[in-house]
Amino acid sequence: MRKKDDAIPNTEASQSALQLESWHASVIAADQSTVENWERMLGSATNRAYDERESLKPNTILDAIKTIIDNKSQNKYLFSILLTACVKKTLYPSQDIRIGQWNMKGGYANRSLDQASVTPFLKREGYTHCQASGLESGRNFERPLPWDLSFPARPRGEGNREAFLGILDYIQAQGGDPGIVAMYLLYYDRERSDSIEATSVPPVEPVIDTIMAVLTKHFAMSKGQGKSRLPVLALYAIYEQLVRELDRYRGVTLLPLERHTTADLRSGSIGDIQLDRDGEPFEGVEVKSGISITADMIWELPRKFNGRQVSRYYILSTADSYIKEEDWESVRAAVKGTQEVTGTQIIPNGLIRTIWYYLRLLSDPSNILRRYAELLDSDPDVRMEMKEVWNQIICSEYPEER
């Protein structure tokens, strides 16, 4: 709940929205000469947060902006906070935009302005965005200190701290134009998004060890909201082939994936992946992302099945310890009790070992990575940053294909 003092007046919200739309229109209309002028101006401005001793990259403000965008898969909240600061400085030139909290002396509510105007604009126009606001995602930047060159933070991504603080210093302390900074932020974000729009399709890969290495890298390197969708897509790609090959699945239908935000109990589905026979659930798979399996998860299954006769049900965890040592006995008891009540074979297991086992069941797993890439490209819950990580992995794993 936003505090009263933190509220953004309607006039400021509407003015901010108009300013953002004006910048967006300029970015859309910008020709090569305009972009070169922006780059010349920003490229001649020194980033005073750059430390040559640490070999950090953003030594100019142009480099700093590119660093923020190039690293956005790790820290996209910095992009949102910076754009909000540019809006504030443009509308209120006397505001010190390094003081980004309303309860600090001389401060303003970066988070609330972002939530009211900036993030809705970014979502509407297809730019990189956070769920609600930059500071909502980047809580380490909500310390009650000004974002000056000494601000103590270490966001992920090489040079991100120096880029972020250097850009704010350029605008506030060196008199840099916030409008030029904002337009180049938007321009470069749009350019980078267009350059990675297509998901890289790997070559045919028959080696299970390599398939596992690529998948586990993608699961591990992807960050943020939607990460838990990735193992589901990998399993779905495998199940598509399993139902064609194994006698167990003769006459069974693999249902289309539902949106990842759809609650099972509300939709009537029994898990992230569901197979039906004669219109009734036959097998289900539920993936628990980053959390170990507990007895409570098992005891919940009768309510989820709702009296339907399910043959087999997998609960798979991505956690290193898919069942904690102290929970083994209670999980075993829950499995036994639930099987007696429902008649369903309950299989709790680790996600990675299950994928490995499933791949060994396939007559030829050569097209699994390709199918996974297709699902990444088409699934609405996979964010652009995750496609970018995938493309980096494929480029590294198969350089001869580029």
Side-chain angles (χ1 to χ4, degrees):
M1 180 72 68
R2 184 185 297 159
K3 298 181 180 68
K4 181 179 178 182
D5 292 342
D6 197 19
I8 298 298
N10 290 336
T11 52
E12 182 175 351
S14 60
Q15 289 172 348
S16 300
L18 288 173
Q19 182 61 70
L20 288 161
E21 291 296 345
S22 174
W23 286 336
H24 173 63
S26 296
V27 168
I28 296 299
D31 56 17
Q32 184 175 351
S33 175
T34 300
V35 173
E36 287 174 353
N37 284 336
W38 293 343
E39 292 179 338
R40 190 177 303 111
M41 179 182 298
L42 298 169
S44 64
T46 300
N47 176 13
R48 300 199 304 183
Y50 171 72
D51 189 341
E52 190 173 359
R53 293 170 301 175
E54 298 183 12
S55 300
L56 296 171
K57 295 178 180 178
N59 59 330
T60 70
I61 298 304
L62 178 64
D63 294 331
I65 291 175
K66 289 185 174 182
T67 296
I68 293 292
I69 302 302
D70 289 342
N71 287 338
K72 65 185 178 182
S73 63
Q74 297 174 296
N75 284 299
K76 63 183 177 180
Y77 61 84
L78 297 178
F79 170 71
S80 195
I81 295 171
L82 282 171
L83 193 59
T84 303
C86 289
V87 171
K88 189 70 177 183
K89 191 66 174 178
T90 300
L91 297 179
Y92 301 91
S94 63
Q95 174 65 55
D96 188 336
I97 54 172
R98 299 170 299 181
I99 309 176
Q101 297 184 58
W102 67 271
N103 54 355
M104 294 170 61
K105 184 177 180 181
Y108 71 105
N110 184 288
R111 177 174 175 173
S112 295
L113 180 58
D114 187 348
Q115 189 167 335
S117 299
V118 176
T119 292
F121 159 78
L122 295 174
K123 289 181 177 180
R124 185 170 61 250
E125 300 298 347
Y127 291 102
T128 295
H129 60 270
C130 298
Q131 184 62 28
S133 67
L135 282 174
E136 179 75 20
S137 302
R139 294 295 182 87
N140 57 326
F141 278 82
E142 281 199 309
R143 300 177 190 179
L145 297 168
W147 296 322
D148 57 23
L149 298 181
S150 64
F151 184 79
R154 285 292 171 190
R156 292 190 305 272
E158 184 182 11
N160 263 353
R161 174 185 178 274
E162 290 70 25
F164 175 79
L165 298 178
I167 292 169
L168 291 176
D169 174 79
Y170 167 67
I171 296 171
Q172 183 62 42
Q174 301 182 60
D177 189 334
I180 299 298
V181 171
M183 286 186 288
Y184 199 78
L185 277 166
L186 294 173
Y187 163 78
Y188 195 63
D189 179 64
R190 198 174 193 86
E191 182 183 71
R192 291 289 287 123
S193 297
D194 289 344
S195 69
I196 63 167
E197 185 174 348
T199 304
S200 295
V201 178
V204 170
E205 178 54 73
V207 180
I208 289 178
D209 282 356
T210 304
I211 297 171
M212 290 300 304
V214 171
L215 290 176
T216 53
K217 278 182 187 177
H218 194 223
F219 300 162
M221 291 173 62
S222 296
K223 306 295 180 183
Q225 184 181 15
K227 172 186 170 83
S228 58
R229 182 66 159 181
L230 304 180
V232 175
L233 298 181
L235 283 167
Y236 195 83
I238 296 170
Y239 261 104
E240 287 180 321
Q241 190 167 337
L242 283 175
V243 297
R244 296 193 301 266
E245 295 186 359
L246 299 191
D247 288 343
R248 168 175 170 75
Y249 299 115
R250 190 170 298 161
V252 168
T253 301
L254 176 63
L255 300 189
L257 287 169
E258 295 185 340
R259 290 295 303 272
H260 202 47
T261 53
T262 304
D264 294 341
L265 290 176
R266 185 173 68 244
S267 68
S269 66
I270 62 171
D272 296 306
I273 294 174
Q274 180 172 326
L275 300 94
D276 281 6
R277 172 171 282 162
D278 299 327
E280 291 295 326
F282 172 73
E283 183 170 311
V285 182
E286 183 177 352
V287 176
K288 298 296 185 182
S289 180
I291 56 176
S292 300
I293 299 166
T294 65
D296 287 343
M297 297 174 187
I298 309 297
W299 289 121
E300 174 69 16
L301 295 181
R303 187 163 75 99
K304 184 175 290 189
F305 296 165
N306 194 27
R308 294 171 291 184
Q309 298 300 307
V310 180
S311 172
R312 189 178 294 171
Y313 195 83
Y314 294 87
I315 297 185
L316 308 176
S317 170
T318 67
D320 291 338
S321 298
Y322 70 92
I323 299 175
K324 293 181 180 178
E325 186 175 352
E326 62 268 25
D327 291 333
W328 268 103
E329 290 305 318
S330 62
V331 169
R332 284 196 187 101
V335 167
K336 182 179 178 181
T338 301
Q339 288 181 163
E340 290 174 353
V341 171
T342 63
T344 301
Q345 183 182 7
I346 309 297
I347 304 172
N349 208 343
L351 172 86
I352 299 302
R353 62 192 293 176
T354 300
I355 291 178
W356 195 295
Y357 173 72
Y358 277 179
L359 288 171
R360 292 174 61 192
L361 292 178
L362 300 178
S363 61
D364 180 6
S366 297
N367 286 309
I368 292 300
L369 289 183
R370 287 192 160 202
R371 180 57 182 146
Y372 177 68
E374 291 173 356
L375 292 171
L376 290 178
D377 204 38
S378 62
D379 193 279
D381 293 313
V382 175
R383 295 182 295 110
M384 178 193 65
E385 294 93 331
M386 295 172 185
K387 296 179 183 179
E388 182 175 13
V389 170
W390 171 259
N391 290 352
Q392 291 170 356
I393 293 170
I394 296 304
C395 183
S396 174
E397 194 71 33
Y398 303 101
E400 69 280 2
E401 299 290 329
R402 307 308 294 170

